[in-house]
Amino acid sequence: MYTVFEHEALYLNRGDQKLDPEQLRLLQNTYKEKNFPYYKLIHNGVRFCEYVGIIKVGNLTIEVLPKADRINDAKHWRGILIDMMKSIGLINPDAPSYANLNIKSSSVLEMYFELFISEIEKLKNKGLIKKYRKKEVNSNTLKGKILIGKQITKNCVHQERFYVNQTVYDNQHVLHQILYKALSTIIKVGTATHLTSRYNNALLDFPEQSDIRIIESLFERIIYDRKSQDYKTAIDIAKMILLNYHPDLNNGPSNVLALMFNMNTLWEKFVLKSLQKFAIDYTISGQVSKDFWKPEIGYAKTIRPDIVLTQNGEVKAVFDTKWKNIRDSNPSDDDLRQLYAYSRYHSNCPSYLIYPNDITTVNHGRYQQAFLNESETPGGIIKLKVFSGKKVGMEILCKEILENTE
């Protein structure tokens, strides 16, 4: 497995981690066929973008980690990524199997695979649930509702048979079909050696299911009840795996699994969740839209700051998050102009840019008055050291933001 940081590159026969010609060909073909946003092709190599996670193409596995300071420790940044994913709900730390999870997993993908098989084993030990379903059968006994049309077409010769619609109670249902397909997919993709036997045993013992077409709406239609609530963590992981699996129909060994997350979105959601969890005296909203531009013909344009902080119905501050370490530099002109627009469209409230950083620093400032009858608009640049040891400090982050907000 190769491990790189966001915006780094892998080259053909160059650097500490070298791609061989076949690996580079696989990455080039995948990029052309799938139009992935996760990396770009460069001369004799690939350069990764702002996405982090795992790309697995055939037998080639590449782990892409976030990086917001000068520390080049993969274990450190892997822990940060996992903690951020837990904080925003991409990993369920309350799942019963999580307590026994091998935290030393060598990648995010392996962690998901280990959590998934642990959930499957837990469900099997507890007993797989059964559900009622309709089933059409051509039977020698009249049991169920006879289907007249099919009875005539199917049994005009064999009149001793009955084509009926029966209600059966078994373990053939959509939850098991999803889990069975996810088990089969993970075995096809390949997992860590210490998990292989667990997956093979689980698939061998799991009741065989009919194939199912995996689409987003399939998961949206699932309703959990008292009996099926224990399935939720396993189904959530299966959803993530199956929706990001891209089978190569022409060349099976080149199947692709891309479990990648936009780091800008992760950072935004992490800051939002931190404030929502610990800023109890405020109402914290994300992506609040306001009309920005309305042409005489066509659709209106909206403006949406990442985070709006409100108290007693009054907007106290707006925040825009940026996952980039600007260190001692000033924000870009575009970032400052964007922040000014957010403030203007929320009653000239204070506005802040939030960046990750090596240490926490705050640089307060003001937008100068545009017109004589206007007051200056307060704002600031908050650079946050969000990490405490190997843990992501949500409470610390929230405290720093609130203490430095005017």
PDB file of all heavy atoms in Angstrom, residues 179-212:
ATOM      1  N   LEU A 179     -26.413  -6.707   2.613  1.00  0.00           N
ATOM      2  CA  LEU A 179     -25.259  -7.207   3.363  1.00  0.00           C
ATOM      3  C   LEU A 179     -24.538  -8.320   2.609  1.00  0.00           C
ATOM      4  O   LEU A 179     -23.310  -8.379   2.598  1.00  0.00           O
ATOM      5  CB  LEU A 179     -25.706  -7.713   4.740  1.00  0.00           C
ATOM      6  CG  LEU A 179     -26.311  -6.666   5.687  1.00  0.00           C
ATOM      7  CD1 LEU A 179     -26.666  -7.294   7.018  1.00  0.00           C
ATOM      8  CD2 LEU A 179     -25.367  -5.480   5.879  1.00  0.00           C
ATOM      9  N   TYR A 180     -25.318  -9.197   1.968  1.00  0.00           N
ATOM     10  CA  TYR A 180     -24.728 -10.295   1.204  1.00  0.00           C
ATOM     11  C   TYR A 180     -23.904  -9.751   0.031  1.00  0.00           C
ATOM     12  O   TYR A 180     -22.795 -10.223  -0.239  1.00  0.00           O
ATOM     13  CB  TYR A 180     -25.834 -11.215   0.695  1.00  0.00           C
ATOM     14  CG  TYR A 180     -25.353 -12.474   0.016  1.00  0.00           C
ATOM     15  CD1 TYR A 180     -24.971 -13.592   0.758  1.00  0.00           C
ATOM     16  CD2 TYR A 180     -25.280 -12.560  -1.372  1.00  0.00           C
ATOM     17  CE1 TYR A 180     -24.535 -14.756   0.138  1.00  0.00           C
ATOM     18  CE2 TYR A 180     -24.841 -13.713  -2.008  1.00  0.00           C
ATOM     19  CZ  TYR A 180     -24.471 -14.811  -1.247  1.00  0.00           C
ATOM     20  OH  TYR A 180     -24.040 -15.950  -1.872  1.00  0.00           O
ATOM     21  N   LYS A 181     -24.456  -8.729  -0.634  1.00  0.00           N
ATOM     22  CA  LYS A 181     -23.728  -8.139  -1.762  1.00  0.00           C
ATOM     23  C   LYS A 181     -22.464  -7.429  -1.284  1.00  0.00           C
ATOM     24  O   LYS A 181     -21.421  -7.483  -1.942  1.00  0.00           O
ATOM     25  CB  LYS A 181     -24.623  -7.180  -2.531  1.00  0.00           C
ATOM     26  CG  LYS A 181     -23.985  -6.623  -3.791  1.00  0.00           C
ATOM     27  CD  LYS A 181     -25.016  -6.284  -4.830  1.00  0.00           C
ATOM     28  CE  LYS A 181     -24.368  -5.977  -6.175  1.00  0.00           C
ATOM     29  NZ  LYS A 181     -25.344  -5.927  -7.274  1.00  0.00           N
ATOM     30  N   ALA A 182     -22.539  -6.758  -0.135  1.00  0.00           N
ATOM     31  CA  ALA A 182     -21.354  -6.079   0.396  1.00  0.00           C
ATOM     32  C   ALA A 182     -20.278  -7.083   0.789  1.00  0.00           C
ATOM     33  O   ALA A 182     -19.090  -6.872   0.523  1.00  0.00           O
ATOM     34  CB  ALA A 182     -21.746  -5.220   1.598  1.00  0.00           C
ATOM     35  N   LEU A 183     -20.676  -8.197   1.408  1.00  0.00           N
ATOM     36  CA  LEU A 183     -19.709  -9.254   1.746  1.00  0.00           C
ATOM     37  C   LEU A 183     -19.017  -9.771   0.490  1.00  0.00           C
ATOM     38  O   LEU A 183     -17.790  -9.917   0.448  1.00  0.00           O
ATOM     39  CB  LEU A 183     -20.415 -10.400   2.464  1.00  0.00           C
ATOM     40  CG  LEU A 183     -20.728 -10.239   3.956  1.00  0.00           C
ATOM     41  CD1 LEU A 183     -21.653 -11.357   4.429  1.00  0.00           C
ATOM     42  CD2 LEU A 183     -19.448 -10.224   4.774  1.00  0.00           C
ATOM     43  N   SER A 184     -19.805 -10.055  -0.538  1.00  0.00           N
ATOM     44  CA  SER A 184     -19.242 -10.578  -1.794  1.00  0.00           C
ATOM     45  C   SER A 184     -18.321  -9.564  -2.443  1.00  0.00           C
ATOM     46  O   SER A 184     -17.259  -9.924  -2.985  1.00  0.00           O
ATOM     47  CB  SER A 184     -20.385 -10.948  -2.748  1.00  0.00           C
ATOM     48  OG  SER A 184     -21.270 -11.867  -2.157  1.00  0.00           O
ATOM     49  N   THR A 185     -18.695  -8.277  -2.392  1.00  0.00           N
ATOM     50  CA  THR A 185     -17.888  -7.227  -3.008  1.00  0.00           C
ATOM     51  C   THR A 185     -16.551  -7.068  -2.297  1.00  0.00           C
ATOM     52  O   THR A 185     -15.504  -6.942  -2.944  1.00  0.00           O
ATOM     53  CB  THR A 185     -18.660  -5.893  -2.989  1.00  0.00           C
ATOM     54  OG1 THR A 185     -19.864  -6.038  -3.729  1.00  0.00           O
ATOM     55  CG2 THR A 185     -17.826  -4.772  -3.579  1.00  0.00           C
ATOM     56  N   ILE A 186     -16.576  -7.081  -0.982  1.00  0.00           N
ATOM     57  CA  ILE A 186     -15.327  -6.907  -0.225  1.00  0.00           C
ATOM     58  C   ILE A 186     -14.376  -8.078  -0.471  1.00  0.00           C
ATOM     59  O   ILE A 186     -13.164  -7.893  -0.607  1.00  0.00           O
ATOM     60  CB  ILE A 186     -15.633  -6.732   1.269  1.00  0.00           C
ATOM     61  CG1 ILE A 186     -16.350  -5.396   1.494  1.00  0.00           C
ATOM     62  CG2 ILE A 186     -14.357  -6.790   2.107  1.00  0.00           C
ATOM     63  CD1 ILE A 186     -16.874  -5.193   2.891  1.00  0.00           C
ATOM     64  N   ILE A 187     -14.912  -9.284  -0.554  1.00  0.00           N
ATOM     65  CA  ILE A 187     -14.070 -10.443  -0.869  1.00  0.00           C
ATOM     66  C   ILE A 187     -13.476 -10.293  -2.268  1.00  0.00           C
ATOM     67  O   ILE A 187     -12.301 -10.622  -2.504  1.00  0.00           O
ATOM     68  CB  ILE A 187     -14.886 -11.744  -0.746  1.00  0.00           C
ATOM     69  CG1 ILE A 187     -15.198 -12.028   0.724  1.00  0.00           C
ATOM     70  CG2 ILE A 187     -14.142 -12.922  -1.372  1.00  0.00           C
ATOM     71  CD1 ILE A 187     -16.097 -13.209   0.954  1.00  0.00           C
ATOM     72  N   LYS A 188     -14.267  -9.766  -3.188  1.00  0.00           N
ATOM     73  CA  LYS A 188     -13.787  -9.565  -4.562  1.00  0.00           C
ATOM     74  C   LYS A 188     -12.692  -8.492  -4.603  1.00  0.00           C
ATOM     75  O   LYS A 188     -11.677  -8.635  -5.302  1.00  0.00           O
ATOM     76  CB  LYS A 188     -14.955  -9.152  -5.454  1.00  0.00           C
ATOM     77  CG  LYS A 188     -14.633  -9.115  -6.936  1.00  0.00           C
ATOM     78  CD  LYS A 188     -15.851  -8.647  -7.732  1.00  0.00           C
ATOM     79  CE  LYS A 188     -17.031  -9.578  -7.526  1.00  0.00           C
ATOM     80  NZ  LYS A 188     -18.211  -9.179  -8.332  1.00  0.00           N
ATOM     81  N   VAL A 189     -12.893  -7.425  -3.839  1.00  0.00           N
ATOM     82  CA  VAL A 189     -11.913  -6.334  -3.807  1.00  0.00           C
ATOM     83  C   VAL A 189     -10.636  -6.768  -3.103  1.00  0.00           C
ATOM     84  O   VAL A 189      -9.527  -6.418  -3.490  1.00  0.00           O
ATOM     85  CB  VAL A 189     -12.530  -5.098  -3.100  1.00  0.00           C
ATOM     86  CG1 VAL A 189     -11.465  -4.057  -2.784  1.00  0.00           C
ATOM     87  CG2 VAL A 189     -13.620  -4.489  -3.966  1.00  0.00           C
ATOM     88  N   GLY A 190     -10.805  -7.544  -2.019  1.00  0.00           N
ATOM     89  CA  GLY A 190      -9.658  -8.002  -1.238  1.00  0.00           C
ATOM     90  C   GLY A 190      -9.481  -7.168   0.012  1.00  0.00           C
ATOM     91  O   GLY A 190      -9.648  -5.947  -0.008  1.00  0.00           O
ATOM     92  N   THR A 191      -9.165  -7.822   1.108  1.00  0.00           N
ATOM     93  CA  THR A 191      -8.971  -7.126   2.372  1.00  0.00           C
ATOM     94  C   THR A 191      -7.717  -7.641   3.057  1.00  0.00           C
ATOM     95  O   THR A 191      -7.004  -8.491   2.504  1.00  0.00           O
ATOM     96  CB  THR A 191     -10.211  -7.312   3.277  1.00  0.00           C
ATOM     97  OG1 THR A 191     -10.043  -6.530   4.463  1.00  0.00           O
ATOM     98  CG2 THR A 191     -10.427  -8.762   3.655  1.00  0.00           C
ATOM     99  N   ALA A 192      -7.447  -7.120   4.246  1.00  0.00           N
ATOM    100  CA  ALA A 192      -6.230  -7.495   4.972  1.00  0.00           C
ATOM    101  C   ALA A 192      -6.234  -8.992   5.287  1.00  0.00           C
ATOM    102  O   ALA A 192      -7.286  -9.603   5.460  1.00  0.00           O
ATOM    103  CB  ALA A 192      -6.129  -6.682   6.261  1.00  0.00           C
ATOM    104  N   THR A 193      -5.041  -9.555   5.381  1.00  0.00           N
ATOM    105  CA  THR A 193      -4.897 -11.000   5.587  1.00  0.00           C
ATOM    106  C   THR A 193      -5.632 -11.473   6.835  1.00  0.00           C
ATOM    107  O   THR A 193      -6.299 -12.514   6.821  1.00  0.00           O
ATOM    108  CB  THR A 193      -3.408 -11.370   5.702  1.00  0.00           C
ATOM    109  OG1 THR A 193      -2.720 -10.898   4.536  1.00  0.00           O
ATOM    110  CG2 THR A 193      -3.225 -12.864   5.828  1.00  0.00           C
ATOM    111  N   HIS A 194      -5.542 -10.701   7.922  1.00  0.00           N
ATOM    112  CA  HIS A 194      -6.140 -11.149   9.181  1.00  0.00           C
ATOM    113  C   HIS A 194      -7.674 -11.079   9.148  1.00  0.00           C
ATOM    114  O   HIS A 194      -8.333 -11.582  10.052  1.00  0.00           O
ATOM    115  CB  HIS A 194      -5.595 -10.330  10.355  1.00  0.00           C
ATOM    116  CG  HIS A 194      -6.077  -8.907  10.399  1.00  0.00           C
ATOM    117  ND1 HIS A 194      -5.542  -7.911   9.606  1.00  0.00           N
ATOM    118  CD2 HIS A 194      -7.054  -8.317  11.137  1.00  0.00           C
ATOM    119  CE1 HIS A 194      -6.150  -6.778   9.863  1.00  0.00           C
ATOM    120  NE2 HIS A 194      -7.079  -6.986  10.782  1.00  0.00           N
ATOM    121  N   LEU A 195      -8.248 -10.457   8.115  1.00  0.00           N
ATOM    122  CA  LEU A 195      -9.711 -10.392   7.993  1.00  0.00           C
ATOM    123  C   LEU A 195     -10.253 -11.364   6.950  1.00  0.00           C
ATOM    124  O   LEU A 195     -11.461 -11.621   6.926  1.00  0.00           O
ATOM    125  CB  LEU A 195     -10.145  -8.972   7.617  1.00  0.00           C
ATOM    126  CG  LEU A 195      -9.840  -7.853   8.617  1.00  0.00           C
ATOM    127  CD1 LEU A 195     -10.278  -6.504   8.047  1.00  0.00           C
ATOM    128  CD2 LEU A 195     -10.520  -8.114   9.946  1.00  0.00           C
ATOM    129  N   THR A 196      -9.388 -11.898   6.100  1.00  0.00           N
ATOM    130  CA  THR A 196      -9.844 -12.716   4.970  1.00  0.00           C
ATOM    131  C   THR A 196     -10.649 -13.928   5.421  1.00  0.00           C
ATOM    132  O   THR A 196     -11.739 -14.208   4.901  1.00  0.00           O
ATOM    133  CB  THR A 196      -8.635 -13.171   4.126  1.00  0.00           C
ATOM    134  OG1 THR A 196      -7.921 -12.022   3.667  1.00  0.00           O
ATOM    135  CG2 THR A 196      -9.106 -13.981   2.924  1.00  0.00           C
ATOM    136  N   SER A 197     -10.146 -14.662   6.403  1.00  0.00           N
ATOM    137  CA  SER A 197     -10.850 -15.869   6.845  1.00  0.00           C
ATOM    138  C   SER A 197     -12.185 -15.525   7.484  1.00  0.00           C
ATOM    139  O   SER A 197     -13.167 -16.265   7.329  1.00  0.00           O
ATOM    140  CB  SER A 197      -9.976 -16.662   7.827  1.00  0.00           C
ATOM    141  OG  SER A 197      -9.692 -15.897   8.981  1.00  0.00           O
ATOM    142  N   ARG A 198     -12.255 -14.399   8.191  1.00  0.00           N
ATOM    143  CA  ARG A 198     -13.520 -13.990   8.803  1.00  0.00           C
ATOM    144  C   ARG A 198     -14.557 -13.679   7.731  1.00  0.00           C
ATOM    145  O   ARG A 198     -15.737 -14.023   7.880  1.00  0.00           O
ATOM    146  CB  ARG A 198     -13.291 -12.775   9.706  1.00  0.00           C
ATOM    147  CG  ARG A 198     -12.461 -13.071  10.946  1.00  0.00           C
ATOM    148  CD  ARG A 198     -12.110 -11.808  11.708  1.00  0.00           C
ATOM    149  NE  ARG A 198     -13.294 -11.160  12.278  1.00  0.00           N
ATOM    150  CZ  ARG A 198     -13.239  -9.990  12.925  1.00  0.00           C
ATOM    151  NH1 ARG A 198     -12.080  -9.358  13.068  1.00  0.00           N
ATOM    152  NH2 ARG A 198     -14.341  -9.458  13.416  1.00  0.00           N
ATOM    153  N   TYR A 199     -14.136 -13.045   6.660  1.00  0.00           N
ATOM    154  CA  TYR A 199     -15.066 -12.737   5.571  1.00  0.00           C
ATOM    155  C   TYR A 199     -15.516 -14.008   4.853  1.00  0.00           C
ATOM    156  O   TYR A 199     -16.701 -14.168   4.540  1.00  0.00           O
ATOM    157  CB  TYR A 199     -14.425 -11.757   4.583  1.00  0.00           C
ATOM    158  CG  TYR A 199     -14.724 -10.316   4.928  1.00  0.00           C
ATOM    159  CD1 TYR A 199     -13.844  -9.558   5.696  1.00  0.00           C
ATOM    160  CD2 TYR A 199     -15.900  -9.705   4.511  1.00  0.00           C
ATOM    161  CE1 TYR A 199     -14.125  -8.249   6.035  1.00  0.00           C
ATOM    162  CE2 TYR A 199     -16.185  -8.390   4.844  1.00  0.00           C
ATOM    163  CZ  TYR A 199     -15.290  -7.671   5.599  1.00  0.00           C
ATOM    164  OH  TYR A 199     -15.594  -6.371   5.935  1.00  0.00           O
ATOM    165  N   ASN A 200     -14.589 -14.897   4.579  1.00  0.00           N
ATOM    166  CA  ASN A 200     -14.958 -16.146   3.901  1.00  0.00           C
ATOM    167  C   ASN A 200     -15.923 -16.972   4.740  1.00  0.00           C
ATOM    168  O   ASN A 200     -16.907 -17.524   4.216  1.00  0.00           O
ATOM    169  CB  ASN A 200     -13.696 -16.959   3.592  1.00  0.00           C
ATOM    170  CG  ASN A 200     -12.870 -16.342   2.474  1.00  0.00           C
ATOM    171  OD1 ASN A 200     -13.414 -15.677   1.589  1.00  0.00           O
ATOM    172  ND2 ASN A 200     -11.565 -16.547   2.499  1.00  0.00           N
ATOM    173  N   ASN A 201     -15.669 -17.042   6.039  1.00  0.00           N
ATOM    174  CA  ASN A 201     -16.563 -17.795   6.922  1.00  0.00           C
ATOM    175  C   ASN A 201     -17.941 -17.141   7.008  1.00  0.00           C
ATOM    176  O   ASN A 201     -18.968 -17.824   7.014  1.00  0.00           O
ATOM    177  CB  ASN A 201     -15.958 -17.905   8.323  1.00  0.00           C
ATOM    178  CG  ASN A 201     -14.731 -18.797   8.361  1.00  0.00           C
ATOM    179  OD1 ASN A 201     -14.564 -19.666   7.504  1.00  0.00           O
ATOM    180  ND2 ASN A 201     -13.856 -18.573   9.337  1.00  0.00           N
ATOM    181  N   ALA A 202     -17.963 -15.812   7.063  1.00  0.00           N
ATOM    182  CA  ALA A 202     -19.244 -15.101   7.157  1.00  0.00           C
ATOM    183  C   ALA A 202     -20.079 -15.306   5.897  1.00  0.00           C
ATOM    184  O   ALA A 202     -21.291 -15.552   5.975  1.00  0.00           O
ATOM    185  CB  ALA A 202     -18.993 -13.615   7.389  1.00  0.00           C
ATOM    186  N   LEU A 203     -19.432 -15.242   4.728  1.00  0.00           N
ATOM    187  CA  LEU A 203     -20.172 -15.431   3.484  1.00  0.00           C
ATOM    188  C   LEU A 203     -20.649 -16.869   3.349  1.00  0.00           C
ATOM    189  O   LEU A 203     -21.760 -17.133   2.855  1.00  0.00           O
ATOM    190  CB  LEU A 203     -19.288 -15.057   2.289  1.00  0.00           C
ATOM    191  CG  LEU A 203     -19.999 -15.018   0.931  1.00  0.00           C
ATOM    192  CD1 LEU A 203     -21.089 -13.956   0.912  1.00  0.00           C
ATOM    193  CD2 LEU A 203     -19.000 -14.768  -0.195  1.00  0.00           C
ATOM    194  N   LEU A 204     -19.845 -17.815   3.801  1.00  0.00           N
ATOM    195  CA  LEU A 204     -20.216 -19.224   3.730  1.00  0.00           C
ATOM    196  C   LEU A 204     -21.441 -19.513   4.598  1.00  0.00           C
ATOM    197  O   LEU A 204     -22.334 -20.278   4.208  1.00  0.00           O
ATOM    198  CB  LEU A 204     -19.036 -20.087   4.180  1.00  0.00           C
ATOM    199  CG  LEU A 204     -19.190 -21.599   4.041  1.00  0.00           C
ATOM    200  CD1 LEU A 204     -19.330 -21.995   2.562  1.00  0.00           C
ATOM    201  CD2 LEU A 204     -18.004 -22.321   4.679  1.00  0.00           C
ATOM    202  N   ASP A 205     -21.511 -18.880   5.763  1.00  0.00           N
ATOM    203  CA  ASP A 205     -22.605 -19.128   6.703  1.00  0.00           C
ATOM    204  C   ASP A 205     -23.836 -18.265   6.434  1.00  0.00           C
ATOM    205  O   ASP A 205     -24.913 -18.551   6.944  1.00  0.00           O
ATOM    206  CB  ASP A 205     -22.137 -18.865   8.149  1.00  0.00           C
ATOM    207  CG  ASP A 205     -21.058 -19.851   8.577  1.00  0.00           C
ATOM    208  OD1 ASP A 205     -20.974 -20.925   7.957  1.00  0.00           O
ATOM    209  OD2 ASP A 205     -20.307 -19.527   9.512  1.00  0.00           O
ATOM    210  N   PHE A 206     -23.658 -17.196   5.654  1.00  0.00           N
ATOM    211  CA  PHE A 206     -24.763 -16.262   5.419  1.00  0.00           C
ATOM    212  C   PHE A 206     -25.752 -16.882   4.423  1.00  0.00           C
ATOM    213  O   PHE A 206     -25.337 -17.469   3.424  1.00  0.00           O
ATOM    214  CB  PHE A 206     -24.226 -14.946   4.851  1.00  0.00           C
ATOM    215  CG  PHE A 206     -25.094 -13.753   5.134  1.00  0.00           C
ATOM    216  CD1 PHE A 206     -24.896 -12.990   6.267  1.00  0.00           C
ATOM    217  CD2 PHE A 206     -26.113 -13.399   4.269  1.00  0.00           C
ATOM    218  CE1 PHE A 206     -25.685 -11.881   6.533  1.00  0.00           C
ATOM    219  CE2 PHE A 206     -26.916 -12.308   4.520  1.00  0.00           C
ATOM    220  CZ  PHE A 206     -26.699 -11.540   5.668  1.00  0.00           C
ATOM    221  N   PRO A 207     -27.062 -16.783   4.671  1.00  0.00           N
ATOM    222  CA  PRO A 207     -28.023 -17.349   3.721  1.00  0.00           C
ATOM    223  C   PRO A 207     -27.912 -16.668   2.361  1.00  0.00           C
ATOM    224  O   PRO A 207     -27.882 -15.442   2.276  1.00  0.00           O
ATOM    225  CB  PRO A 207     -29.381 -17.061   4.369  1.00  0.00           C
ATOM    226  CG  PRO A 207     -29.127 -15.968   5.353  1.00  0.00           C
ATOM    227  CD  PRO A 207     -27.726 -16.157   5.829  1.00  0.00           C
ATOM    228  N   GLU A 208     -27.802 -17.468   1.312  1.00  0.00           N
ATOM    229  CA  GLU A 208     -27.641 -16.919  -0.035  1.00  0.00           C
ATOM    230  C   GLU A 208     -28.853 -16.078  -0.407  1.00  0.00           C
ATOM    231  O   GLU A 208     -29.996 -16.446  -0.144  1.00  0.00           O
ATOM    232  CB  GLU A 208     -27.445 -18.048  -1.045  1.00  0.00           C
ATOM    233  CG  GLU A 208     -27.052 -17.553  -2.422  1.00  0.00           C
ATOM    234  CD  GLU A 208     -26.660 -18.687  -3.362  1.00  0.00           C
ATOM    235  OE1 GLU A 208     -26.489 -19.823  -2.872  1.00  0.00           O
ATOM    236  OE2 GLU A 208     -26.528 -18.429  -4.568  1.00  0.00           O
ATOM    237  N   GLN A 209     -28.565 -14.940  -1.051  1.00  0.00           N
ATOM    238  CA  GLN A 209     -29.619 -13.983  -1.383  1.00  0.00           C
ATOM    239  C   GLN A 209     -29.656 -13.747  -2.889  1.00  0.00           C
ATOM    240  O   GLN A 209     -28.662 -13.936  -3.599  1.00  0.00           O
ATOM    241  CB  GLN A 209     -29.358 -12.644  -0.685  1.00  0.00           C
ATOM    242  CG  GLN A 209     -29.235 -12.738   0.824  1.00  0.00           C
ATOM    243  CD  GLN A 209     -30.556 -12.959   1.511  1.00  0.00           C
ATOM    244  OE1 GLN A 209     -31.542 -12.302   1.208  1.00  0.00           O
ATOM    245  NE2 GLN A 209     -30.586 -13.913   2.448  1.00  0.00           N
ATOM    246  N   SER A 210     -30.821 -13.331  -3.375  1.00  0.00           N
ATOM    247  CA  SER A 210     -30.919 -12.935  -4.776  1.00  0.00           C
ATOM    248  C   SER A 210     -30.195 -11.606  -4.968  1.00  0.00           C
ATOM    249  O   SER A 210     -30.077 -10.804  -4.031  1.00  0.00           O
ATOM    250  CB  SER A 210     -32.386 -12.802  -5.187  1.00  0.00           C
ATOM    251  OG  SER A 210     -33.058 -11.896  -4.340  1.00  0.00           O
ATOM    252  N   ASP A 211     -29.699 -11.377  -6.189  1.00  0.00           N
ATOM    253  CA  ASP A 211     -28.939 -10.157  -6.465  1.00  0.00           C
ATOM    254  C   ASP A 211     -29.857  -8.940  -6.402  1.00  0.00           C
ATOM    255  O   ASP A 211     -31.065  -9.039  -6.615  1.00  0.00           O
ATOM    256  CB  ASP A 211     -28.274 -10.254  -7.843  1.00  0.00           C
ATOM    257  CG  ASP A 211     -27.194  -9.197  -8.024  1.00  0.00           C
ATOM    258  OD1 ASP A 211     -26.705  -8.671  -6.997  1.00  0.00           O
ATOM    259  OD2 ASP A 211     -26.858  -8.873  -9.174  1.00  0.00           O
ATOM    260  N   ILE A 212     -29.271  -7.801  -6.110  1.00  0.00           N
ATOM    261  CA  ILE A 212     -30.044  -6.574  -5.957  1.00  0.00           C
ATOM    262  C   ILE A 212     -29.292  -5.440  -6.632  1.00  0.00           C
ATOM    263  O   ILE A 212     -28.062  -5.393  -6.610  1.00  0.00           O
ATOM    264  CB  ILE A 212     -30.284  -6.282  -4.457  1.00  0.00           C
ATOM    265  CG1 ILE A 212     -31.270  -5.139  -4.281  1.00  0.00           C
ATOM    266  CG2 ILE A 212     -28.986  -6.007  -3.729  1.00  0.00           C
ATOM    267  CD1 ILE A 212     -31.724  -4.957  -2.845  1.00  0.00           C
TER     268      ILE A 212
END
